[in-house]
Amino acid sequence: YTMLFLREDRATSVASDICLIHPTLPASFVNNILVPMGNQRNSSVNSQLSLDFHLIFQDEKTRDKRLGMIRHVFPNGMTNIVPRGAHKQGLSLLLSILSKKGCDDVMPAYNPDYCDSTGKSVHLSTLTVEMNKYSKQYERTTEDITADLLKVEQMSINNGTIDLKSMDWAKCDRHIGALVLRGNRCVLVRSLSGGWDDMRLPSVIPKEDESPVSAAIRSVVELTEVDSSEVAALEMISPVTVYAPNGRNVVMQLYPLYATAPPPDGALEDADLEDEESLYDWYLFENAVKRLDDRSVAALR
């Protein structure tokens, strides 16, 4: 998802600042929304809007891919790069935007409990707009995620530093994972919301009374957003145990699944191209081992 930070101009009751953090803008959105908006940017309505549109990208590659089109529509605002997982750095950057200070100014570390002299504080929420299946009307829903972001920051700091010799495996979280295969390729997933860095094998905590295979299929559905009918269990093949994948306090049972649909038309080499705006990609073994941690690679072997 894309995180939005809004600040309202009290004189006009219109948002004066919008900040997109690690924006994910598919080609369909660019062609159907941004291009028409860019063509109308000089209209009388748009010319009256005083909007600072701030952008925080995860790296130079994604910045260069979308910055030109966004700035064609929204020319004003700051552009910065904050890597995935550096949430405190991102939150401090938002404070600088809120206070209208330059990004080179020294800002204090983010403190969710801090209030200024007028009682104002800063927190972050997700905003989703979805159609109600009953009323057929679009509804906006917000959820405070400030505490969750700080937890992810701590996880990022601790990632990969687990001492396996002192690990109490009985107290680790139990995950069920999926190794989705199609020919000589497998699926790896990424987090578009900054939940983790790089690629990993999909996994979830199993629900009560849920079979391991059902949990493995659910991990694929939830983390790739494909239909459950697109994968099938490989019977008579035992799962593999993965200890502390990605440096997490987790023991994962990895179950093999197979894609029910053939690859799309075109050269098979096209399937090896990575799409940073997609939840998953297909990898040959030699490419997968370059994107996974050592313990996950051992499971693939």
Side-chain angles (χ1 to χ4, degrees), residues 240-252:
V240 175
T241 302
V242 187
Y243 294 93
N246 308 99
R248 293 176 290 161
N249 191 25
V250 166
V251 175
M252 178 174 66

Side-chain angles (χ1 to χ4, degrees), residues 132-144:
N132 186 299
K133 64 180 180 180
Y134 300 109
S135 66
K136 303 303 181 184
Q137 300 297 314
Y138 285 100
E139 298 177 347
R140 291 179 294 179
T141 303
T142 61
E143 179 181 359
D144 190 345

Side-chain angles (χ1 to χ4, degrees), residues 254-271:
L254 186 64
Y255 282 77
L257 305 176
Y258 205 84
T260 57
D265 295 335
L268 288 177
E269 291 76 13
D270 293 342

Side-chain angles (χ1 to χ4, degrees), residues 166-185:
S166 61
M167 175 75 71
D168 186 350
W169 299 110
K171 296 181 179 180
C172 291
D173 292 334
R174 293 299 192 265
H175 277 222
I176 298 296
L179 176 61
V180 183
L181 303 170
R182 185 173 64 192
N184 58 350
R185 289 174 170 82

Side-chain angles (χ1 to χ4, degrees), residues 279-292:
L279 289 169
Y280 69 97
D281 276 315
W282 290 91
Y283 291 86
L284 293 167
F285 175 79
E286 56 266 30
N287 295 330
V289 298
K290 298 176 183 177
R291 302 304 303 270
L292 292 172

Side-chain angles (χ1 to χ4, degrees), residues 24-66:
T24 302
L25 306 178
S28 58
F29 177 84
V30 172
N31 295 330
N32 298 327
I33 303 297
L34 282 186
V35 171
M37 289 180 67
N39 295 335
Q40 299 175 7
R41 185 167 63 87
N42 295 323
S43 68
S44 58
V45 175
N46 286 340
S47 62
Q48 296 174 5
L49 296 179
S50 178
L51 178 65
D52 285 338
F53 205 85
H54 311 291
L55 299 164
I56 301 178
F57 293 95
Q58 66 190 52
D59 51 42
E60 294 182 357
K61 179 181 178 181
T62 53
R63 179 198 63 187
D64 297 342
K65 185 176 181 179
R66 294 299 188 212

